[in-house]
Amino acid sequence: MPIQLSDHFNYSRLLRFTLPSIAAMVFTSIYSVVDGYFVSNYAGAQSLAAVNMAWPVIMILGTLGLMFGIGGSALIAAAQGRGRLKRANEYFSLIVYAAMGLGVLLTVITWFLMEPLMKMLGAEGGLLSDCILYGHIVLLGLVPFIMQMMFQTLFITAEKPQLCFYVTLGAGVANMFLDWLLVGILGWGLFGASVATDVGFLIGGIIPLVYFARKNSSTLRLGKTRWMPHALIKAAFNGSSELLSGISSSIVTLLYDYQLLRFAGENGVAAFSVIMYITFVFFALFIGFSNGIAPVISYHFGARNKDELKNLFKRCFVIIGVSGLAMFGLAETSASLLSKVFVGYDVDLYNMTVYAFRIISFCFLLSGFNIFASSLFTALNNGLISATISTSRSIVFELVSVLLLPLLFGIDGIWFAIWGAEIATIIMAAIFIIRKRKTYGYL
């Protein structure tokens, strides 16, 4: 029997409902991970560094899909909870059309900004050429990428989380196969990796668009809408935390690259690239779970069902706590193996990667709570608190750490920077959760 937003959720139902969203986020993370594996092993450390420097720019833009998807989903699900189904579909259609138009505009603008951005970060010579090559080709798939990121949440709001998983699985498998073929077999290097990524974007973004444009069995369908600027502003504001989190994370990643080029050269950037690939998969579990449960929270918030909100809040915290412990243990025990897969061909680079990964893996104990706290307030239509948590975590606290700690501890200060950000954020999130417990009734 299909699970609906209006259901009561025990642990089993909660995990079954969010599993497709978790799997979808994991497969989304595979794009850069698989690119990184094949580029590192078949094109070398310079090409790997180029991918890590250009990819954050694409992610900043792709996060617009998360903003519209999660922010719009909160608006749509709340309307559904109040029984306003026609209005929910009008919101849905308007948000999809707006995201597509904005994606086209940003593709054109960013195409001309890619070279000066990479130069500003310190790329030059062959590294600069590789950054521009990879960035320009992947930009061609930006609009489908934005759509894919957006539909991951909207599929859940439409009560079709399994379709989200199947589409993302298809996109991920296509990307992996083409990386193997174009980079591993044909030796096309960065060009092959970027083409593989674009094909994955097309599958992940176009198939959902076609599905919702036709008559379907979900609660949502693309169709006629009206110009409702207040709805777009509300959706953007609701999802601003996700947008700001994505932007700030990418900016901080670029800052890491800049600092590592100064303190450790291209090897430092390559080591950080590997760590980001691996941690992105781990973080995807938290993000997928938080995104998957957000429409349920929005629905019961709209229906004013405080008993179910309390139930969801308690169970989510237990799941995140247990998952964080498991991820930390897995990261510590598998650091050597995972690093060897990517950079086993270079002993110095391998040793640096293992050392840094074991330091950074402590963040898994706290990061899940911080990600969920931001998503919780987005689901409750409080974009201000959500944005404050995510922006403070991803840019304010981490930016200060990555700028100051290397001055005191050298390259070790770069690896420890994320600790300070997660500790400061969880204190802030706890304060907001406690202060707003009576307002929303989740405690």
Side-chain angles (χ1 to χ4, degrees):
M1 181 177 178
I3 301 174
Q4 298 179 322
L5 298 179
S6 56
D7 288 349
H8 169 71
F9 283 77
N10 54 25
Y11 284 112
S12 173
R13 182 165 292 182
L14 192 59
L15 290 172
R16 284 190 291 123
F17 187 79
T18 56
L19 182 60
S21 176
I22 295 170
M25 281 303 303
V26 170
F27 275 101
T28 299
S29 70
I30 284 175
Y31 290 136
S32 58
V33 173
V34 175
D35 284 353
Y37 169 77
F38 280 100
V39 169
S40 178
N41 284 276
Y42 292 91
Q46 176 180 290
S47 296
L48 178 63
V51 172
N52 193 56
M53 293 184 72
W55 179 252
V57 177
I58 307 301
M59 275 302 302
I60 287 174
L61 303 175
T63 308
L64 285 166
L66 279 180
M67 179 190 75
F68 281 114
I70 296 174
S73 192
L75 199 64
I76 295 163
Q80 290 175 328
R82 296 185 180 102
R84 305 175 70 183
L85 301 183
K86 180 181 178 181
R87 179 58 59 88
N89 273 281
E90 288 179 339
Y91 287 155
F92 171 70
S93 299
L94 179 62
I95 288 165
V96 171
Y97 300 149
M100 292 174 65
L102 187 58
V104 172
L105 177 63
L106 290 173
T107 298
V108 175
I109 294 172
T110 310
W111 182 277
F112 295 101
L113 292 178
M114 185 63 69
E115 182 174 351
L117 282 173
M118 295 300 101
K119 285 182 177 178
M120 186 173 64
L121 291 172
E124 55 186 22
L127 179 60
L128 176 61
S129 298
D130 284 348
C131 289
I132 296 171
L133 172 67
Y134 183 80
H136 275 170
I137 297 175
V138 175
L139 264 178
L140 296 176
L142 177 62
V143 174
F145 183 40
I146 290 174
M147 305 305 289
Q148 179 182 356
M149 299 288 275
M150 180 173 60
F151 280 122
Q152 284 183 357
T153 304
L154 293 177
F155 261 130
I156 299 166
T157 309
E159 298 181 339
K160 295 291 180 180
Q162 292 81 8
L163 283 178
C164 172
F165 169 69
Y166 295 141
V167 170
T168 310
L169 175 63
V173 170
N175 184 51
M176 288 188 287
F177 172 76
L178 288 174
D179 268 323
W180 169 77
L181 176 64
L182 301 180
V183 183
I185 302 300
L186 299 180
W188 287 9
L190 278 178
F191 177 78
S194 55
V195 169
T197 298
D198 279 346
V199 172
F201 288 167
L202 286 170
I203 293 173
I206 301 303
I207 290 178
L209 189 65
V210 172
Y211 174 81
F212 284 112
R214 305 176 63 184
K215 186 177 180 180
N216 60 76
S217 59
S218 77
T219 59
L220 297 175
R221 183 180 179 185
L222 280 173
K224 293 182 179 180
T225 186
R226 339 184 249 112
W227 177 242
M228 294 179 285
H230 65 282
L232 285 176
I233 293 171
K234 182 67 173 175
F237 188 71
N238 286 343
S240 61
S241 61
E242 281 67 34
L243 174 65
L244 292 172
S245 179
I247 291 175
S248 54
S249 294
S250 297
I251 290 174
V252 170
T253 297
L254 293 172
L255 181 60
Y256 271 101
D257 293 338
Y258 173 76
Q259 290 284 69
L260 285 165
L261 278 174
R262 293 176 58 210
F263 283 90
E266 290 181 5
N267 262 10
V269 177
F272 183 66
S273 301
V274 173
I275 295 167
M276 288 300 98
Y277 294 144
I278 299 170
T279 55
F280 189 21
V281 176
F282 281 71
F283 284 146
L285 298 172
F286 290 132
I287 296 170
F289 176 80
S290 298
N291 291 351
I293 199 60
V296 182
I297 294 172
S298 295
Y299 182 94
H300 289 286
F301 171 64
R304 296 176 174 82
N305 187 352
K306 291 189 176 181
D307 287 339
E308 186 60 21
L309 285 176
K310 291 177 181 178
N311 171 63
L312 290 167
F313 183 85
K314 179 185 71 174
R315 295 183 190 278
C316 287
F317 257 63
V318 171
I319 290 172
I320 289 169
V322 172
S323 300
L325 285 170
M327 289 183 198
F328 169 68
L330 178 62
E332 288 293 312
T333 56
S334 63
S336 296
L337 175 62
L338 292 172
S339 300
K340 189 173 184 179
V341 168
F342 284 90
V343 292
Y345 55 83
D346 187 315
V347 175
D348 291 337
L349 180 55
Y350 164 78
N351 289 333
M352 179 187 294
T353 305
V354 173
Y355 174 75
F357 184 46
R358 284 183 169 150
I359 293 174
I360 290 175
S361 64
F362 278 89
C363 72
F364 298 135
L365 297 173
L366 302 178
S367 57
F369 294 107
N370 292 330
I371 291 169
F372 174 73
S374 176
S375 180
L376 170 69
F377 286 106
T378 297
L380 295 171
N381 282 280
N382 193 325
L384 180 60
I385 291 180
S386 179
T388 301
I389 294 172
S390 62
T391 304
S392 298
R393 170 180 178 254
S394 301
I395 193 167
V396 176
F397 298 138
E398 197 163 358
L399 185 66
V400 171
S401 298
V402 78
L403 284 174
L404 294 183
L405 291 182
L407 299 177
L408 300 174
F409 306 108
I411 191 172
D412 280 353
I414 299 176
W415 309 135
F416 280 102
I418 194 170
W419 283 24
E422 297 292 356
I423 292 171
T425 304
I426 202 166
I427 295 172
M428 171 186 287
I431 292 171
F432 279 127
I433 287 172
I434 292 170
R435 291 185 63 181
K436 292 294 181 179
R437 67 190 186 281
K438 294 182 179 179
T439 303
Y440 297 111
Y442 46 70
L443 277 178

